[in-house]
Short mmCIF file of all heavy atoms in Angstrom, two decimals:
data_model
loop_
_atom_site.label_atom_id
_atom_site.label_comp_id
_atom_site.label_asym_id
_atom_site.label_seq_id
_atom_site.Cartn_x
_atom_site.Cartn_y
_atom_site.Cartn_z
N ARG A 25 3.65 7.67 16.84
CA ARG A 25 2.42 8.50 16.69
C ARG A 25 2.11 9.33 17.80
O ARG A 25 1.52 10.45 17.69
CB ARG A 25 1.30 7.43 16.45
CG ARG A 25 1.32 6.58 15.21
CD ARG A 25 1.10 7.39 13.96
NE ARG A 25 -0.11 8.21 14.13
CZ ARG A 25 -1.33 7.78 13.95
NH1 ARG A 25 -1.58 6.51 13.65
NH2 ARG A 25 -2.37 8.63 14.12
N TYR A 47 9.87 14.80 -3.38
CA TYR A 47 9.73 15.92 -2.42
C TYR A 47 9.13 15.33 -1.14
O TYR A 47 8.20 14.50 -1.11
CB TYR A 47 8.73 16.86 -3.06
CG TYR A 47 8.36 18.14 -2.15
CD1 TYR A 47 8.89 19.40 -2.44
CD2 TYR A 47 7.38 18.03 -1.20
CE1 TYR A 47 8.59 20.52 -1.69
CE2 TYR A 47 7.08 19.17 -0.53
CZ TYR A 47 7.71 20.35 -0.72
OH TYR A 47 7.28 21.46 0.00
N TYR A 51 5.34 19.50 8.61
CA TYR A 51 4.45 20.57 9.03
C TYR A 51 4.11 20.33 10.56
O TYR A 51 4.13 19.19 11.12
CB TYR A 51 3.19 20.60 8.30
CG TYR A 51 3.36 20.71 6.82
CD1 TYR A 51 3.56 19.62 5.98
CD2 TYR A 51 3.30 21.98 6.26
CE1 TYR A 51 3.77 19.75 4.62
CE2 TYR A 51 3.36 22.11 4.83
CZ TYR A 51 3.65 20.97 4.09
OH TYR A 51 3.80 21.14 2.72
N GLN A 53 0.89 21.44 13.21
CA GLN A 53 -0.44 22.00 13.17
C GLN A 53 -0.89 22.36 14.56
O GLN A 53 -0.79 21.57 15.54
CB GLN A 53 -1.43 20.97 12.64
CG GLN A 53 -2.84 21.53 12.40
CD GLN A 53 -3.78 20.58 11.67
OE1 GLN A 53 -3.61 19.36 11.80
NE2 GLN A 53 -4.63 21.15 10.88
N GLY A 56 -5.86 27.34 15.67
CA GLY A 56 -5.89 28.67 15.35
C GLY A 56 -4.83 29.12 14.43
O GLY A 56 -4.83 30.26 13.84
N LEU A 57 -3.84 28.29 14.18
CA LEU A 57 -2.66 28.66 13.34
C LEU A 57 -2.57 27.79 12.09
O LEU A 57 -1.78 28.19 11.19
CB LEU A 57 -1.37 28.55 14.09
CG LEU A 57 -1.14 29.47 15.29
CD1 LEU A 57 0.10 29.20 16.10
CD2 LEU A 57 -1.25 30.95 14.81
N GLY A 58 -3.31 26.77 12.02
CA GLY A 58 -3.31 25.95 10.81
C GLY A 58 -2.07 25.13 10.77
O GLY A 58 -1.23 24.90 11.69
N LEU A 59 -1.76 24.74 9.48
CA LEU A 59 -0.52 23.92 9.24
C LEU A 59 0.56 24.93 8.80
O LEU A 59 0.43 25.78 7.91
CB LEU A 59 -0.84 23.02 8.08
CG LEU A 59 -1.42 21.62 8.44
CD1 LEU A 59 -2.13 21.07 7.17
CD2 LEU A 59 -0.38 20.68 8.88
N GLN A 61 4.65 25.07 7.63
CA GLN A 61 5.77 24.32 7.12
C GLN A 61 7.11 24.51 7.87
O GLN A 61 7.42 25.68 8.14
CB GLN A 61 5.97 24.64 5.59
CG GLN A 61 6.87 23.58 4.86
CD GLN A 61 6.88 23.88 3.38
OE1 GLN A 61 6.80 24.98 2.89
NE2 GLN A 61 6.86 22.81 2.60
N TYR A 64 11.46 21.49 4.17
CA TYR A 64 11.13 20.69 3.04
C TYR A 64 12.39 20.26 2.29
O TYR A 64 13.45 20.83 2.48
CB TYR A 64 10.12 21.41 2.05
CG TYR A 64 10.66 22.62 1.47
CD1 TYR A 64 11.25 22.66 0.17
CD2 TYR A 64 10.56 23.86 2.08
CE1 TYR A 64 11.67 23.74 -0.43
CE2 TYR A 64 10.99 25.02 1.47
CZ TYR A 64 11.48 24.97 0.21
OH TYR A 64 11.99 26.13 -0.41
N MET A 66 13.53 18.99 -1.65
CA MET A 66 13.12 18.64 -3.02
C MET A 66 13.82 17.50 -3.65
O MET A 66 13.47 17.07 -4.78
CB MET A 66 13.31 19.93 -3.91
CG MET A 66 12.42 21.11 -3.38
SD MET A 66 12.64 22.65 -4.17
CE MET A 66 11.37 22.50 -5.46
N LYS A 73 14.45 25.70 4.42
CA LYS A 73 13.65 26.04 5.61
C LYS A 73 12.21 26.43 5.07
O LYS A 73 12.11 27.05 4.01
CB LYS A 73 14.27 27.26 6.28
CG LYS A 73 15.61 26.97 6.95
CD LYS A 73 16.20 28.24 7.54
CE LYS A 73 17.46 27.92 8.29
NZ LYS A 73 18.15 29.23 8.88
N GLY A 74 11.28 26.10 5.88
CA GLY A 74 9.92 26.52 5.69
C GLY A 74 9.64 27.78 6.48
O GLY A 74 10.58 28.57 6.72
N ASP A 75 8.45 27.95 6.98
CA ASP A 75 8.10 29.17 7.76
C ASP A 75 8.56 29.13 9.14
O ASP A 75 8.78 30.20 9.79
CB ASP A 75 6.60 29.38 7.63
CG ASP A 75 6.20 30.00 6.32
OD1 ASP A 75 7.10 30.53 5.63
OD2 ASP A 75 4.97 29.85 6.00
N LEU A 104 1.00 18.95 16.85
CA LEU A 104 0.71 17.83 16.00
C LEU A 104 1.53 17.96 14.74
O LEU A 104 1.47 19.00 14.08
CB LEU A 104 -0.83 17.79 15.72
CG LEU A 104 -1.29 16.65 14.75
CD1 LEU A 104 -1.00 15.31 15.32
CD2 LEU A 104 -2.74 16.77 14.49
N PHE A 106 3.02 16.64 11.03
CA PHE A 106 2.72 15.87 9.83
C PHE A 106 3.86 15.90 8.87
O PHE A 106 4.49 16.91 8.55
CB PHE A 106 1.48 16.48 9.09
CG PHE A 106 0.19 16.27 9.77
CD1 PHE A 106 -0.41 17.19 10.50
CD2 PHE A 106 -0.55 14.98 9.67
CE1 PHE A 106 -1.63 16.98 11.14
CE2 PHE A 106 -1.70 14.69 10.33
CZ PHE A 106 -2.26 15.73 11.03
N THR A 113 7.50 18.68 -7.99
CA THR A 113 7.21 20.02 -7.59
C THR A 113 6.63 20.87 -8.65
O THR A 113 6.59 22.06 -8.67
CB THR A 113 8.46 20.77 -7.06
OG1 THR A 113 9.49 20.73 -8.06
CG2 THR A 113 9.06 20.11 -5.80
N SER A 114 6.11 20.24 -9.68
CA SER A 114 5.54 20.96 -10.83
C SER A 114 4.17 20.41 -11.10
O SER A 114 3.86 19.18 -11.18
CB SER A 114 6.42 20.75 -12.01
OG SER A 114 5.77 21.28 -13.15
N GLY A 115 3.22 21.34 -11.22
CA GLY A 115 1.91 20.97 -11.57
C GLY A 115 1.24 20.03 -10.54
O GLY A 115 1.45 20.08 -9.40
N ILE A 116 0.42 19.05 -11.09
CA ILE A 116 -0.21 18.17 -10.21
C ILE A 116 0.76 17.31 -9.42
O ILE A 116 0.41 16.67 -8.45
CB ILE A 116 -1.30 17.34 -10.96
CG1 ILE A 116 -2.17 16.54 -10.01
CG2 ILE A 116 -0.56 16.34 -11.89
CD1 ILE A 116 -2.92 17.46 -9.03
N ASN A 118 2.90 18.14 -7.50
CA ASN A 118 3.14 18.63 -6.16
C ASN A 118 2.00 18.32 -5.23
O ASN A 118 1.86 18.95 -4.17
CB ASN A 118 3.55 20.08 -6.18
CG ASN A 118 2.49 21.00 -6.65
OD1 ASN A 118 1.32 20.86 -6.34
ND2 ASN A 118 2.84 22.06 -7.29
N GLU A 119 1.06 17.49 -5.63
CA GLU A 119 0.02 17.05 -4.71
C GLU A 119 0.74 16.26 -3.59
O GLU A 119 1.44 15.32 -3.78
CB GLU A 119 -0.99 16.04 -5.27
CG GLU A 119 -1.96 15.43 -4.30
CD GLU A 119 -2.80 14.36 -4.81
OE1 GLU A 119 -2.82 14.11 -6.09
OE2 GLU A 119 -3.56 13.77 -4.04
N GLN A 120 0.56 16.71 -2.33
CA GLN A 120 1.21 16.19 -1.18
C GLN A 120 0.34 15.20 -0.49
O GLN A 120 -0.83 15.35 -0.24
CB GLN A 120 1.66 17.30 -0.27
CG GLN A 120 2.67 18.21 -0.90
CD GLN A 120 3.41 19.13 0.03
OE1 GLN A 120 3.40 18.86 1.28
NE2 GLN A 120 4.02 20.14 -0.48
N PHE A 122 -0.13 13.10 2.90
CA PHE A 122 0.24 13.24 4.31
C PHE A 122 0.26 11.93 5.12
O PHE A 122 -0.52 11.03 4.86
CB PHE A 122 -0.77 14.21 4.91
CG PHE A 122 -0.51 15.68 4.60
CD1 PHE A 122 -0.86 16.18 3.35
CD2 PHE A 122 0.07 16.51 5.49
CE1 PHE A 122 -0.68 17.46 2.98
CE2 PHE A 122 0.35 17.82 5.15
CZ PHE A 122 -0.04 18.34 3.96
N GLY A 123 1.16 11.94 6.05
CA GLY A 123 1.17 10.81 6.96
C GLY A 123 0.07 10.99 8.01
O GLY A 123 -0.71 12.01 7.97
N PRO A 124 -0.02 10.12 9.01
CA PRO A 124 -1.13 10.06 10.00
C PRO A 124 -0.92 11.06 11.13
O PRO A 124 -1.85 11.33 11.92
CB PRO A 124 -1.08 8.64 10.52
CG PRO A 124 0.34 8.21 10.35
CD PRO A 124 0.83 8.90 9.16
N LYS B 53 -0.70 38.01 7.35
CA LYS B 53 -0.37 36.67 6.95
C LYS B 53 -0.46 36.60 5.49
O LYS B 53 -1.19 37.28 4.78
CB LYS B 53 -1.36 35.74 7.59
CG LYS B 53 -1.24 35.63 9.10
CD LYS B 53 -2.26 34.59 9.72
CE LYS B 53 -2.16 34.51 11.20
NZ LYS B 53 -3.16 33.62 11.76
N GLU B 54 0.36 35.65 4.91
CA GLU B 54 0.31 35.36 3.45
C GLU B 54 -1.03 34.84 2.96
O GLU B 54 -1.48 35.14 1.90
CB GLU B 54 1.46 34.41 3.05
CG GLU B 54 2.82 35.03 3.11
CD GLU B 54 3.82 34.16 2.44
OE1 GLU B 54 4.33 33.23 3.06
OE2 GLU B 54 4.21 34.43 1.26
N GLN B 82 1.84 29.89 -7.43
CA GLN B 82 1.60 29.27 -8.70
C GLN B 82 0.43 28.26 -8.72
O GLN B 82 -0.26 28.19 -9.82
CB GLN B 82 2.84 28.53 -9.05
CG GLN B 82 4.10 29.32 -9.17
CD GLN B 82 5.32 28.40 -9.22
OE1 GLN B 82 5.57 27.67 -8.28
NE2 GLN B 82 6.06 28.47 -10.26
N TYR B 83 0.20 27.58 -7.61
CA TYR B 83 -0.82 26.60 -7.63
C TYR B 83 -1.72 26.77 -6.38
O TYR B 83 -1.21 27.18 -5.36
CB TYR B 83 -0.13 25.16 -7.52
CG TYR B 83 0.85 24.91 -8.62
CD1 TYR B 83 2.19 24.93 -8.42
CD2 TYR B 83 0.33 24.74 -9.90
CE1 TYR B 83 3.02 24.63 -9.51
CE2 TYR B 83 1.21 24.46 -11.00
CZ TYR B 83 2.53 24.47 -10.75
OH TYR B 83 3.46 24.20 -11.77
N MET B 85 -4.75 25.08 -4.01
CA MET B 85 -5.38 23.75 -3.68
C MET B 85 -6.35 23.92 -2.52
O MET B 85 -6.23 24.87 -1.68
CB MET B 85 -4.21 22.77 -3.20
CG MET B 85 -3.13 22.72 -4.23
SD MET B 85 -1.70 21.86 -3.55
CE MET B 85 -0.38 22.26 -4.71
N TYR B 87 -7.50 21.32 0.58
CA TYR B 87 -7.34 20.01 1.31
C TYR B 87 -8.46 19.86 2.26
O TYR B 87 -9.01 20.86 2.81
CB TYR B 87 -6.01 19.96 2.07
CG TYR B 87 -4.77 19.62 1.28
CD1 TYR B 87 -4.20 20.63 0.49
CD2 TYR B 87 -4.32 18.38 1.24
CE1 TYR B 87 -3.05 20.32 -0.23
CE2 TYR B 87 -3.12 18.01 0.51
CZ TYR B 87 -2.58 19.04 -0.24
OH TYR B 87 -1.44 18.73 -1.03
N GLN B 89 -9.50 17.77 5.81
CA GLN B 89 -9.00 17.03 6.91
C GLN B 89 -10.07 16.52 7.86
O GLN B 89 -10.76 17.37 8.47
CB GLN B 89 -7.94 17.89 7.66
CG GLN B 89 -7.22 17.15 8.72
CD GLN B 89 -6.18 18.00 9.48
OE1 GLN B 89 -6.22 19.24 9.40
NE2 GLN B 89 -5.21 17.38 10.09
N ARG B 92 -8.58 13.80 13.48
CA ARG B 92 -7.59 12.84 13.80
C ARG B 92 -6.89 12.19 12.57
O ARG B 92 -6.28 11.05 12.62
CB ARG B 92 -8.08 11.67 14.63
CG ARG B 92 -8.64 12.12 16.00
CD ARG B 92 -9.12 11.07 16.78
NE ARG B 92 -9.92 11.48 18.01
CZ ARG B 92 -9.43 11.94 19.12
NH1 ARG B 92 -8.13 12.13 19.25
NH2 ARG B 92 -10.25 12.39 20.05
N LYS B 93 -7.03 12.79 11.35
CA LYS B 93 -6.34 12.32 10.21
C LYS B 93 -5.49 13.40 9.56
O LYS B 93 -5.56 14.61 9.90
CB LYS B 93 -7.38 11.97 9.14
CG LYS B 93 -8.35 10.81 9.56
CD LYS B 93 -7.74 9.44 9.57
CE LYS B 93 -8.83 8.42 9.80
NZ LYS B 93 -8.08 7.06 9.83
N GLY B 94 -4.59 12.98 8.67
CA GLY B 94 -3.80 13.91 7.91
C GLY B 94 -4.74 14.59 6.74
O GLY B 94 -5.65 13.94 6.34
N PRO B 95 -4.35 15.76 6.31
CA PRO B 95 -5.06 16.33 5.19
C PRO B 95 -4.99 15.50 3.93
O PRO B 95 -3.95 14.83 3.66
CB PRO B 95 -4.41 17.75 5.01
CG PRO B 95 -3.66 17.94 6.32
CD PRO B 95 -3.25 16.55 6.80
N GLU B 96 -5.95 15.60 3.04
CA GLU B 96 -5.98 14.98 1.75
C GLU B 96 -6.40 16.00 0.73
O GLU B 96 -7.32 16.80 0.92
CB GLU B 96 -6.87 13.68 1.77
CG GLU B 96 -8.32 14.04 2.16
CD GLU B 96 -9.11 12.72 2.16
OE1 GLU B 96 -8.67 11.69 1.88
OE2 GLU B 96 -10.34 12.89 2.49
N LEU B 97 -5.73 15.85 -0.50
CA LEU B 97 -6.05 16.80 -1.50
C LEU B 97 -7.46 16.62 -2.02
O LEU B 97 -7.91 15.55 -2.40
CB LEU B 97 -4.96 16.71 -2.66
CG LEU B 97 -5.23 17.70 -3.78
CD1 LEU B 97 -4.80 19.10 -3.23
CD2 LEU B 97 -4.29 17.38 -4.90
N TYR B 100 -7.46 21.07 -7.03
CA TYR B 100 -6.26 21.62 -7.38
C TYR B 100 -6.44 22.46 -8.66
O TYR B 100 -7.07 21.98 -9.60
CB TYR B 100 -5.18 20.54 -7.65
CG TYR B 100 -4.07 20.97 -8.57
CD1 TYR B 100 -2.91 21.43 -8.02
CD2 TYR B 100 -4.13 20.72 -9.88
CE1 TYR B 100 -1.82 21.75 -8.77
CE2 TYR B 100 -3.09 21.08 -10.72
CZ TYR B 100 -1.91 21.56 -10.14
OH TYR B 100 -0.91 21.96 -10.93
N THR B 137 -12.57 19.66 8.35
CA THR B 137 -11.93 20.94 8.22
C THR B 137 -11.34 21.10 6.79
O THR B 137 -10.68 20.14 6.34
CB THR B 137 -10.81 21.10 9.26
OG1 THR B 137 -11.36 21.06 10.66
CG2 THR B 137 -10.02 22.41 9.12
N LEU B 139 -8.93 23.20 4.22
CA LEU B 139 -7.78 24.17 4.30
C LEU B 139 -7.44 24.53 2.87
O LEU B 139 -7.32 23.68 2.00
CB LEU B 139 -6.60 23.43 4.90
CG LEU B 139 -6.74 22.90 6.26
CD1 LEU B 139 -6.71 21.38 6.32
CD2 LEU B 139 -5.63 23.37 7.18
N TYR B 143 0.95 27.19 -3.33
CA TYR B 143 2.23 26.62 -3.52
C TYR B 143 3.09 27.57 -4.36
O TYR B 143 2.60 28.09 -5.41
CB TYR B 143 2.11 25.28 -4.15
CG TYR B 143 3.46 24.65 -4.54
CD1 TYR B 143 4.15 23.87 -3.58
CD2 TYR B 143 4.09 24.83 -5.78
CE1 TYR B 143 5.26 23.24 -3.93
CE2 TYR B 143 5.30 24.29 -5.99
CZ TYR B 143 5.93 23.47 -5.08
OH TYR B 143 7.14 22.91 -5.38
N GLY B 145 7.42 27.47 -5.42
CA GLY B 145 8.84 27.28 -5.23
C GLY B 145 9.30 26.33 -4.10
O GLY B 145 10.20 26.55 -3.41
N GLY B 146 8.47 25.28 -3.92
CA GLY B 146 8.83 24.30 -2.83
C GLY B 146 8.07 24.51 -1.57
O GLY B 146 7.88 23.72 -0.76
N LYS B 147 7.51 25.80 -1.37
CA LYS B 147 6.80 26.12 -0.16
C LYS B 147 5.28 25.92 -0.32
O LYS B 147 4.80 26.36 -1.35
CB LYS B 147 7.14 27.53 0.30
CG LYS B 147 8.52 27.74 0.84
CD LYS B 147 8.60 29.10 1.48
CE LYS B 147 10.00 29.26 2.21
NZ LYS B 147 10.07 30.49 2.94
N LEU B 148 4.71 25.34 0.69
CA LEU B 148 3.25 25.12 0.68
C LEU B 148 2.71 25.92 1.85
O LEU B 148 3.13 25.60 3.01
CB LEU B 148 2.82 23.69 0.63
CG LEU B 148 1.34 23.35 0.46
CD1 LEU B 148 0.89 23.86 -0.95
CD2 LEU B 148 1.09 21.92 0.62
N ILE B 149 1.92 26.98 1.63
CA ILE B 149 1.41 27.79 2.67
C ILE B 149 -0.09 27.50 2.85
O ILE B 149 -0.86 27.62 1.83
CB ILE B 149 1.56 29.30 2.38
CG1 ILE B 149 2.99 29.61 2.00
CG2 ILE B 149 1.14 30.16 3.56
CD1 ILE B 149 4.00 29.35 3.12
N PHE B 150 -0.46 27.20 4.02
CA PHE B 150 -1.88 26.81 4.35
C PHE B 150 -2.63 27.89 4.96
O PHE B 150 -2.01 28.77 5.83
CB PHE B 150 -1.97 25.60 5.25
CG PHE B 150 -1.68 24.27 4.64
CD1 PHE B 150 -0.36 23.83 4.46
CD2 PHE B 150 -2.71 23.54 4.10
CE1 PHE B 150 -0.10 22.60 3.87
CE2 PHE B 150 -2.44 22.30 3.55
CZ PHE B 150 -1.15 21.83 3.39
N GLY B 151 -3.94 28.07 4.68
CA GLY B 151 -4.77 28.89 5.50
C GLY B 151 -5.07 28.20 6.89
O GLY B 151 -4.64 27.08 7.03
N GLN B 152 -5.67 28.93 7.72
CA GLN B 152 -5.92 28.42 9.10
C GLN B 152 -6.87 27.20 9.13
O GLN B 152 -6.89 26.49 10.08
CB GLN B 152 -6.40 29.51 10.03
CG GLN B 152 -5.50 30.65 10.23
CD GLN B 152 -5.88 31.85 9.37
OE1 GLN B 152 -6.08 31.66 8.13
NE2 GLN B 152 -6.04 32.96 9.84
N GLY B 153 -7.66 27.08 8.12
CA GLY B 153 -8.65 25.99 8.02
C GLY B 153 -10.05 26.43 8.53
O GLY B 153 -10.10 27.23 9.41
#
Side-chain angles (χ1 to χ4, degrees):
Chain A
R25 295 287 314 278
Y47 179 101
Y51 300 87
Q53 188 171 34
L57 297 176
L59 277 155
Q61 193 170 37
Y64 63 95
M66 298 177 91
K73 295 178 180 179
D75 281 341
L104 179 59
F106 287 101
T113 56
S114 175
I116 192 57
N118 65 39
E119 173 188 355
Q120 295 195 18
F122 283 77
Chain B
K53 290 182 181 177
E54 284 194 279
Q82 300 166 297
Y83 304 108
M85 307 169 195
Y87 279 80
Q89 185 177 21
R92 302 181 191 281
K93 299 284 189 184
E96 55 182 358
L97 184 68
Y100 157 91
T137 296
L139 304 110
Y143 177 89
K147 289 192 172 185
L148 189 61
I149 309 295
F150 284 87
Q152 299 97 308

